[in-house]
Amino acid sequence: MRVGIEKLNLYGGRAYLTIADLASARGGSLDELERRQMVPYEARSIIPPYEDPVTLAVNATERLLSDADREQIELVVVATESAVDFGKPISTWVQRHSRLPAHSRNFEVKHMCYGGTAALRVAASWVASNVRPGKKALVINSDLSRTRNHVQTEDDDLGELMAGGSAVAMLVSAEPTVFELELAKAGYWTNELSDALRPNSRTEIITGQTSFYSYLDALEETYERYEHLVGEVDFDTYFRKNIYHAPFPGMTRVAHKTLLNRLGVFDKAAIEASWRERVADSTHFARRIGSAYGASTFICLLGMLHAGSGFAAGDRFSVFAYGSGCQAEFYSGLVGADAQAYVRGLDVDAHLDSRVRLGVEQYEQIEKACESNIDEPTYEPLTQDVGDLYAQRYDGQRLLVLEGVRDYQRHYTWS
């Protein structure tokens, strides 16, 4: 049975900050930051106080589903490490505000940046079981970063660059017109460690070097397991393109080099040429978003299908997902018949172009407002607007926004 991604969509918020402006304000050199990031990093999304992981998830879904799609959905899974409640799942708000059937299974999953992949694999397996023939699943990854003052890293300037917020929504079905999963071809690996933590609602701790090397260990382990299950493959011919989890865009370059070294390729020019031909286009959108957490691999898949060339329907892509803590998976899928036309038709570039460019001072005002709301039982985020962002990019646009919190109960409305 064929199963995989029938549709997907990215919502990157309605405002952004350029990395050049941020570097200048922090007294750093953009050239130096880009050298350390290894791929030019253009911007990061800014999420105002009246957006949260619920609104990001719903706004990613709104342009994804037709009424006919909604009628066929019987499973809703939202992956996040930015939950707004320790008990109530984001998925219930998604079910309500995305107008999904009440007779559906609905839950939230958490595993740092692996969560989105976990949700996708569970949904795909449910579809493949065929217990509900013709029914579909909605899978969403929705996340946003904590404020700079509460992100603890070993390298503060990079930590702030790696913040952001976005959501990717996917319709999973037996009609994988975008990306067909090869369900039996997957190598996974887990290893307990504390390379990234969110121990409370305010704090995000990233131990950069530990996480960096854990990612690379996991990549090698999962690829070895993939070959153990599938049989030895010729990396160059078996996979047409390679998609990697990208906590920052340059990590894709390090990941690809690591795999090629493992396969006996050490020539720097050959490695660079391979990355440019097989990986670089996947960072097309990632360079404009900032950290996408568990949505990262799917944003890179979108980037490759939008900006890439030299592949056709039926070609195989590898995908590597990593989540701190840690869990990783190396799997593969086939490009769908209408994949490139569909993704280009989304016009994600236009969506990102339409965001408002904010200055560093405005960005800091937004971060301070968001921080002041954490754990507050009652507040009105729409009164905390900076400049006229709401009037410019929300008012009349039918985007879900957080209207207010009263005695911890969250109330949403359409702009």
Side-chain angles (χ1 to χ4, degrees):
M1 182 179 182
R2 300 175 65 231
V3 62
I5 301 171
E6 180 181 341
K7 297 179 179 180
L8 75 167
N9 183 49
L10 163 66
Y11 176 70
R14 307 306 297 130
Y16 73 99
L17 174 69
T18 71
I19 299 306
D21 286 348
L22 184 58
S24 176
R26 301 292 179 250
S29 162
L30 181 61
D31 290 342
E32 173 64 11
L33 287 174
E34 288 190 351
R35 182 189 69 78
R36 291 159 67 194
Q37 291 282 334
M38 294 165 283
V39 173
Y41 207 170
E42 301 168 27
R44 51 154 294 189
S45 293
I46 305 298
I47 308 301
Y50 40 85
E51 285 235 59
D52 64 11
V54 174
T55 69
L56 296 177
V58 172
N59 291 333
T61 302
E62 190 65 12
R63 198 159 66 106
L64 180 77
L65 302 177
S66 67
D67 289 340
D69 292 329
R70 288 183 173 87
E71 292 175 3
Q72 296 304 313
I73 290 173
E74 277 198 12
L75 175 64
V76 181
V77 190
V78 176
T80 187
E81 59 185 87
S82 314
V84 296
D85 189 277
F86 288 110
K88 180 175 168 59
I90 288 174
S91 54
T92 55
W93 281 294
V94 170
Q95 184 273 333
R96 175 185 176 185
H97 294 292
S98 294
R99 306 175 303 286
L100 301 176
H103 296 289
S104 59
R105 183 175 286 121
N106 177 303
F107 58 94
E108 178 180 302
V109 300
K110 174 186 72 178
H111 200 308
M112 301 300 282
C113 292
Y114 178 74
T117 297
L120 173 63
R121 303 296 296 195
V122 166
S125 296
W126 174 77
V127 172
S129 73
N130 209 31
V131 295
R132 295 290 292 145
K135 297 302 182 180
K136 304 179 181 184
L138 175 65
V139 172
I140 306 169
N141 197 109
S142 180
D143 273 305
L144 52 79
S145 58
R146 299 302 189 222
T147 61
R148 180 173 184 263
N149 291 339
H150 294 289
V151 177
Q152 302 172 29
T153 71
E154 296 164 357
D155 204 342
D156 284 343
D157 55 352
L158 293 184
E160 189 172 17
L161 294 180
M162 291 166 61
S166 61
V168 168
M170 297 175 281
L171 186 65
V172 181
S173 76
E175 301 173 13
T177 53
V178 173
F179 195 62
E180 178 183 349
L181 296 172
E182 298 183 293
L183 290 181
K185 297 182 178 183
Y188 29 87
W189 184 73
T190 187
N191 178 44
E192 193 282 316
L193 78 165
S194 297
D195 56 324
L197 301 168
R198 291 199 185 197
N200 56 50
S201 56
R202 288 182 172 272
T203 306
E204 184 174 356
I205 301 172
I206 303 169
T207 53
Q209 292 298 310
T210 302
S211 194
F212 181 87
Y213 288 109
S214 176
Y215 175 114
L216 298 180
D217 287 344
L219 174 59
E220 292 192 88
E221 292 284 351
T222 54
Y223 182 75
E224 181 178 332
R225 184 63 176 171
Y226 182 93
E227 281 200 312
H228 173 78
L229 296 172
V230 174
E232 186 175 351
V233 302
D234 184 325
F235 186 81
D236 283 338
T237 59
Y238 194 71
F239 305 113
R240 187 66 194 90
K241 301 288 184 179
N242 309 107
I243 306 297
Y244 299 98
H245 172 55
F248 58 96
M251 193 66 196
T252 65
R253 196 181 231 124
V254 180
H256 198 61
K257 176 179 180 291
T258 297
L259 270 191
L260 291 182
N261 286 171
R262 182 189 180 280
L263 297 169
V265 180
F266 297 96
D267 181 78
K268 290 183 178 179
I271 292 171
E272 178 67 13
S274 178
W275 178 80
R276 291 192 177 279
E277 197 273 327
R278 300 168 63 99
V279 183
D281 288 329
S282 69
T283 68
H284 180 82
F285 298 127
R287 297 195 303 266
R288 306 182 63 186
I289 293 290
S291 180
Y293 297 89
S296 168
T297 52
F298 310 116
I299 290 176
C300 286
L301 176 62
L302 275 167
M304 181 62 75
L305 293 173
H306 173 89
S309 60
F311 61 86
D315 282 350
R316 178 178 288 106
F317 288 3
S318 71
V319 184
F320 173 68
Y322 174 81
S324 293
C326 82
Q327 176 69 49
E329 186 161 347
F330 187 99
Y331 61 101
S332 58
L334 309 176
V335 177
D338 301 322
Q340 198 154 40
Y342 169 79
V343 170
R344 288 178 174 174
L346 293 172
D347 207 359
V348 175
D349 272 328
H351 164 58
L352 298 179
D353 288 344
S354 70
R355 297 174 299 174
V356 171
R357 177 176 176 176
L358 300 178
V360 173
E361 184 177 348
Q362 293 172 306
Y363 150 68
E364 291 175 337
Q365 290 173 353
I366 285 174
E367 295 286 86
K368 185 178 293 185
C370 290
E371 183 180 5
S372 71
N373 297 335
I374 295 174
D375 294 333
E376 286 297 311
T378 300
Y379 60 93
E380 296 182 7
L382 288 171
T383 67
Q384 300 172 314
D385 197 24
V386 171
D388 57 352
L389 176 59
Y390 187 88
Q392 289 186 68
R393 291 296 182 270
Y394 287 88
D395 195 19
Q397 299 301 307
R398 190 172 166 75
L399 293 167
L400 191 71
V401 295
L402 178 62
E403 181 181 31
V405 177
R406 305 176 193 106
D407 295 326
Y408 294 110
Q409 303 238 5
R410 307 178 80 82
H411 300 273
Y412 296 90
T413 189
W414 292 98
S415 66

